[in-house]
Amino acid sequence: MEEYVIDIDAENKEIRKRYRALLRACKPTLQKGDKQQIRKAFDLALECHKDMRRKSGEPYIYHPIAVAQIAAEEIGLGTTSIVCALLHDVVEDTHLTLQDIEEQFGKKVARIIDGLTKISGIFDPNSSMQAENFRKMLLTLADDVRVILIKLADRLHNMRTMEFMARHKQLKIASETSYLYAPLAHRLGLYAIKSELEDLSMKYTDPDTYKFIAKKLNEKKAERERFVTDFITPINEILAEQGIEASVFGRPKSIHSIWNKMRKKSIPFEEVYDLFAIRVIIDTDDDKEKTECWKVYSIITDLYRPNPDRLRDWVSSPKGNGYESLHTTVMGPRGQWVEVQIRTRRMNEIAEKGFAAHWKYKESNSDSGLDNWIQKIRDILSNSEQSALDFVDDFKMNLFSDEIFIFTPKGTLVQLPNGATALDFAFEIHSDIGATCIGAKVNHKLVPLSHTLQNGDQVEIITSSKQTPKEDWLNFVVTAKAKSKIRSSLKEEKRRVAEDGKEILERKLKSLKITYNTDNINKISNYFKFPSSQELFYNVAKGSIDIKNLREFVASEKSEDPNHNQFQAHINGLVEKINKKEVDTILIGDDYQQVDYTLAPCCNPIPGDDIFGFLTVNDGIKIHRTSCPNASKLMANYGYRILKAKWASSKNDVAFLTGLRIVGIDDVGLVNKITMVISHEFNVNIRSLSISSNEGIFEGNIMVFVNDTQQLDNLIINLKHIPGITGVTRFEYES
Ligand code: MN
């Protein structure tokens, strides 16, 4: 038990102060009687949580007040949501029941609290059902989207105040946040919250990189601010001349998005050119919005040359989540590309606060893309055949991609994710059209089903009644709808074929004088390594298991192959030896024991890296870096299989494999210089080296064995000093 020195009077003063700040945040939406409702909820929450404290030692009531404030200020929610946010932990953590809530605040509030209580246990670290529960949480979208919005506010506040938690809990919560909550916020159009969640998550999963980028950003701050001032001064002058009321300012990009760019393009921080964007927010009447946006566009592109490939018009065709804005990239005065975002005050509010703001303006915006999206989610959810994990993956894929707009032959607009194919379009129109699709005409030209559509294409689908969905279709559809329809009809088809296979197998076994019973069927399935008897029947029907194979099985039953066993023993011995060699270097589990493990090939951890253990189904414990690209997925879905791990004293006689990506200007002898530094100056072994050179740009991927992160960092610094080399980065996975 920790002890705190508590000054009750000071605390009560602070609680009142925070409550008054909340009321100020609610003011814009307050109507008659609302203040009393909020007061009632606050008093009740205060009473219920009066003996509870947070991990930091602060009174618990700070948390619901903060969640309510986020809901009001940053999401723009109204009184009902404020009341629910104040009470969101009351039923979960205290003696108060839903019945009590309903009696005091009515049915609507009780239902939302019920939703919040039900999903609050979702990411319980002891539960193996995260994905399934996530699906349930989205189902409540259909009920009341406020449940999800308040849950996001709750998560945001927990992420902001996580420093007092144990390290493994921080990792788990941060991973779920980047894997599930940030994408969800993105889809609901809450861009500011999404960026903050991503940054906070990175702060815990990859603290070194986070601090590095934050420091770099800070160093150049003054220089950047001067640039922004120089850039916007002439814009402001012309806006004033033409009588357009607008505010123009620079907006820094998030640390996470900068890091993404560095990784994707394998460039150092110095080469990320868009560390900020310029935003123009116009004050105008609703009916002049579009004209004013283009007027401003014209002013800016008269001053600075636009990049014709980088114009995005989400004013004429808003994104599915309601986002409206005009984006362009122009050449700044110092020969540097600058992104400019032009939008009205209304559009900006939708962009910042997302869905809730969208509601407010709904009358003027009748065909809301979000309604479509919720309908789509409902369609996918109602398909119970799909496993929960598949669902989460498909769902996420749809979240991350941007939309394109496709026209039907009659000119109706259909929205699809970027990368969608003709077949996706067919399924989007109707699942029967998708299932019988044999080809398409794109802009009157015949194309195959797998043809990737471009924004603005006009597409006509050609069908045939003889067509049925094929396995390889899954390789080129991207929408969750098409995937789930194809999967379920393949499953149906497979079941039918397996039925035939079962009869064939019965006949064949009879001829081999083997009794047809469950025991034998299981033995045969195991022998051919099929996961289920249905898989076995299916392969029999397809002819890939025939009478010859079955005779092999009969023979194997009689004598276990001694050669085979010997070979396996040898392999086991080798594996053991490798494990023995590494086993001293990492300690695993709550009490840091010495257990066998292997290093995950996806991120190749080396001593000095922040790591964790993951208990696999067939492959023992694997060690990953906390910044591994797979880590967030593993932790978010299988939290109960995560083990604490740390490096023991680093022993320098063990070498670890890691990858370096080197970029530079092609020069004769560059490879030689690189290998000289690596193998002679550093005495490090190179395992493989692949180099490509394109129009004078040199790109090399080198796998080397190093002792720890310190040696690796020194090596990187020395490689960077070679003339002609412009960037050296460690890469996490072989792509
Ligand atoms: Mn909470």
Side-chain angles (χ1 to χ4, degrees):
M1 216 30 210
E2 285 170 67
E3 270 181 53
Y4 308 98
V5 183
I6 297 164
D7 179 343
I8 296 287
D9 280 344
E11 253 181 29
N12 283 339
K13 256 193 200 140
E14 180 63 27
I15 293 173
R16 299 289 138 184
K17 200 176 126 206
R18 291 184 188 212
Y19 174 67
R20 281 195 302 275
L22 167 65
L23 279 184
R24 277 196 300 277
C26 300
K27 212 163 180 189
T29 57
L30 282 187
Q31 281 168 6
K32 216 169 163 257
D34 283 358
K35 218 168 163 179
Q36 285 86 320
Q37 281 296 102
I38 295 173
R39 180 66 201 223
K40 204 165 108 189
F42 168 70
D43 285 341
L44 182 60
L46 188 62
E47 172 61 24
C48 287
H49 293 302
K50 72 170 184 283
D51 297 323
M52 294 167 64
R53 283 182 183 272
R54 305 199 82 206
K55 264 254 152 42
S56 59
E58 293 176 334
Y60 194 85
I61 189 73
Y62 287 4
H63 170 63
I65 295 176
V67 174
Q69 184 143 2
I70 293 169
E73 221 163 33
E74 296 174 54
I75 311 183
L77 294 171
T79 300
T80 307
S81 306
I82 308 299
V83 167
C84 294
L86 283 168
L87 298 171
H88 81 270
D89 279 333
V90 154
V91 174
E92 172 85 4
D93 297 337
T94 75
H95 291 303
L96 215 74
T97 63
L98 264 185
Q99 188 92 44
D100 300 330
I101 301 272
E102 190 176 329
E103 277 160 20
Q104 294 190 46
F105 295 93
K107 263 213 171 70
K108 194 157 55 174
V109 170
R111 269 189 59 164
I112 295 173
I113 304 273
D114 186 31
L116 283 164
T117 310
K118 271 191 196 132
I119 62 173
S120 80
I122 278 185
F123 299 111
D124 173 7
N126 302 315
S127 155
S128 59
M129 302 289 287
Q130 274 88 345
E132 183 57 40
N133 282 327
F134 185 65
R135 173 158 145 162
K136 280 192 198 128
M137 170 165 110
L138 287 172
L139 258 174
T140 61
L141 256 180
D143 263 5
D144 197 325
V145 77
R146 277 176 291 199
V147 173
I148 309 272
L149 294 171
I150 296 168
K151 189 68 202 163
L152 276 170
D154 183 30
R155 173 56 56 124
L156 181 59
H157 185 245
N158 285 335
M159 286 295 293
R160 281 176 182 169
T161 54
M162 205 158 62
E163 65 261 54
F164 296 99
M165 284 200 169
R167 174 80 179 131
H168 70 284
K169 277 196 183 154
Q170 290 175 340
L171 277 178
K172 166 101 177 67
I173 293 172
S175 301
E176 284 161 15
T177 300
S178 68
Y179 188 68
L180 297 173
Y181 284 90
L184 190 59
H186 177 87
R187 196 56 182 91
L188 292 170
L190 297 151
Y191 286 99
I193 289 182
K194 172 222 168 205
S195 299
E196 192 180 344
L197 286 176
E198 281 174 346
D199 271 11
L200 285 168
S201 168
M202 184 180 165
K203 190 173 151 189
Y204 289 99
T205 55
D206 196 357
D208 293 344
T209 314
Y210 180 87
K211 278 183 218 142
F212 169 79
I213 296 176
K215 191 172 139 256
K216 286 273 187 186
L217 277 175
N218 211 20
E219 281 167 10
K220 298 273 168 160
K221 203 172 164 202
E223 190 184 314
R224 221 167 33 242
E225 278 167 359
R226 261 198 313 278
F227 178 89
V228 169
T229 314
D230 291 351
F231 185 89
I232 66 179
T233 307
I235 301 177
N236 274 325
E237 280 166 13
I238 301 181
L239 288 174
E241 261 170 43
Q242 303 206 1
I244 297 172
E245 258 182 69
S247 56
V248 188
F249 53 92
R251 257 193 81 90
K253 292 261 165 95
S254 74
I255 290 179
H256 181 264
S257 67
I258 292 170
W259 174 228
N260 254 351
K261 195 150 266 180
M262 288 167 64
R263 266 198 300 200
K264 247 200 219 149
K265 299 193 170 169
S266 196
I267 51 174
F269 176 86
E270 287 70 22
E271 280 171 38
V272 180
Y273 70 88
D274 48 352
L275 295 173
F276 61 91
I278 299 291
R279 192 170 287 171
V280 185
I281 296 178
I282 312 166
D283 268 311
T284 183
D285 296 338
D286 281 1
D287 55 332
K288 294 200 198 99
E289 284 192 304
K290 197 169 168 181
T291 337
E292 294 290 293
C293 284
W294 285 104
K295 228 191 242 172
V296 171
Y297 173 82
S298 158
I299 291 170
I300 289 167
T301 50
D302 279 347
L303 285 165
Y304 307 109
R305 239 167 84 83
N307 180 337
D309 295 335
R310 301 288 291 274
L311 174 63
R312 299 281 178 277
D313 175 11
W314 289 301
V315 170
S316 308
S317 313
K319 284 193 187 186
N321 59 15
Y323 185 81
E324 292 173 68
S325 193
L326 196 59
H327 290 195
T328 178
T329 300
V330 300
M331 184 61 85
R334 284 173 223 167
Q336 151 186 44
W337 290 114
V338 178
E339 184 182 317
V340 184
Q341 306 169 347
I342 304 162
R343 55 177 78 149
T344 64
R345 197 157 291 287
R346 179 191 65 85
M347 295 173 187
N348 190 53
E349 205 166 323
I350 290 176
E352 300 267 294
K353 294 179 180 167
F355 192 56
H358 203 84
W359 273 342
K360 220 167 39 180
Y361 296 104
K362 211 170 176 184
E363 290 84 3
S364 61
N365 219 327
S366 55
D367 65 318
S368 125
L370 219 107
D371 287 344
N372 281 334
W373 182 66
I374 290 176
Q375 184 55 45
K376 248 179 234 169
I377 295 282
R378 260 187 227 136
D379 285 354
I380 302 164
L381 289 167
S382 60
N383 193 334
S384 56
E385 293 244 344
Q386 204 178 8
S387 91
L389 259 178
D390 278 351
F391 166 77
V392 170
D393 279 346
D394 289 353
F395 169 78
K396 275 172 61 68
M397 233 206 84
N398 277 359
L399 288 183
F400 283 126
S401 33
D402 271 319
E403 290 116 347
I404 53 171
F405 297 92
I406 303 299
F407 295 96
T408 67
K410 284 183 185 153
T412 310
L413 206 56
V414 175
Q415 223 173 49
L416 287 167
N418 201 0
T421 57
L423 189 58
D424 282 304
F425 175 79
F427 273 102
E428 199 59 35
I429 294 175
H430 197 280
S431 43
D432 290 343
I433 294 182
T436 55
C437 178
I438 53 168
K441 279 184 185 166
V442 172
N443 306 325
H444 307 294
K445 214 179 121 220
L446 197 63
V447 298
L449 297 176
S450 58
H451 179 87
T452 306
L453 300 175
Q454 304 295 320
N455 205 5
D457 278 346
Q458 185 167 48
V459 183
E460 183 187 345
I461 295 296
I462 305 160
T463 60
S464 155
S465 58
K466 294 199 180 69
Q467 178 70 297
T468 54
K470 303 286 182 287
E471 183 92 36
D472 74 310
W473 286 11
L474 288 169
N475 298 330
F476 55 79
V477 293
V478 302
T479 56
K481 185 175 180 182
K483 276 190 184 165
S484 78
K485 293 284 181 211
I486 295 168
R487 281 207 192 99
S488 64
S489 65
L490 286 174
K491 248 185 193 164
E492 191 41 52
E493 170 70 8
K494 199 164 189 175
R495 197 176 298 146
R496 218 179 40 72
V497 174
E499 279 301 311
D500 296 345
K502 192 174 167 186
E503 281 171 32
I504 299 170
L505 185 64
E506 261 188 276
R507 282 201 301 277
K508 288 200 166 142
L509 291 185
K510 210 172 190 180
S511 74
L512 288 168
K513 306 216 161 38
I514 301 175
T515 330
Y516 183 95
N517 59 25
T518 320
D519 194 31
N520 279 335
I521 294 300
N522 284 343
K523 270 189 195 159
I524 300 170
S525 299
N526 282 339
Y527 178 78
F528 293 109
K529 300 205 164 52
F530 289 122
S532 67
S533 53
Q534 196 204 32
E535 202 68 31
L536 170 70
F537 299 149
Y538 179 78
N539 278 280
V540 170
K542 285 284 175 192
S544 37
I545 296 294
D546 58 17
I547 193 85
K548 207 176 95 217
N549 302 119
L550 289 171
R551 281 205 190 98
E552 271 170 35
F553 163 74
V554 176
S556 82
E557 280 284 281
K558 281 173 191 151
S559 69
E560 288 278 7
D561 186 351
N563 280 334
H564 176 81
N565 286 345
Q566 223 171 358
F567 177 70
Q568 197 56 44
H570 178 64
I571 293 280
N572 289 345
L574 273 183
V575 170
E576 224 157 83
K577 247 184 241 160
I578 293 165
N579 284 342
K580 279 269 156 56
K581 202 174 117 199
E582 291 174 346
V583 91
D584 305 330
T585 36
I586 294 181
L587 302 174
I588 297 170
D590 281 341
D591 24 271
Y592 291 122
Q593 289 170 319
Q594 294 192 358
V595 196
D596 274 1
Y597 63 84
T598 48
L599 298 172
C602 50
C603 56
N604 292 317
I606 61 177
D609 282 332
D610 219 350
I611 49 170
F612 67 93
F614 182 74
L615 187 62
T616 64
V617 177
N618 299 317
D619 224 6
I621 297 169
K622 291 245 185 230
I623 302 293
H624 292 264
R625 289 162 64 188
T626 55
S627 61
C628 171
N630 296 321
S632 61
K633 182 174 174 173
L634 293 177
M635 289 197 247
N637 286 312
Y638 309 103
Y640 59 105
R641 279 156 56 184
I642 300 292
L643 299 159
K644 275 196 247 184
K646 69 172 183 195
W647 298 96
S649 64
S650 70
K651 291 197 297 173
N652 284 336
D653 55 337
V654 188
F656 296 83
L657 192 63
T658 189
L660 287 174
R661 182 165 293 145
I662 303 183
V663 188
I665 310 294
D666 201 1
D667 175 21
V668 198
L670 193 55
V671 177
N672 213 356
K673 284 177 209 154
I674 293 170
T675 51
M676 277 291 273
V677 169
I678 297 177
S679 36
H680 292 288
E681 288 177 33
F682 273 83
N683 210 9
V684 160
N685 283 325
I686 297 178
R687 192 186 77 165
S688 68
L689 191 111
S690 71
I691 282 155
S692 69
S693 172
N694 190 9
E695 291 174 15
I697 303 297
F698 165 98
E699 266 190 64
N701 287 347
I702 305 180
M703 300 298 291
V704 292
F705 287 100
V706 293
N707 295 325
D708 53 28
T709 45
Q710 181 142 35
Q711 192 188 23
L712 181 68
D713 291 342
N714 286 336
L715 180 58
I716 290 176
I717 291 170
N718 276 272
L719 285 170
K720 277 185 179 162
H721 283 147
I722 300 175
I725 299 246
T726 56
V728 182
T729 43
R730 174 179 179 187
F731 66 88
E732 288 147 338
Y733 45 99
E734 296 173 64
S735 48

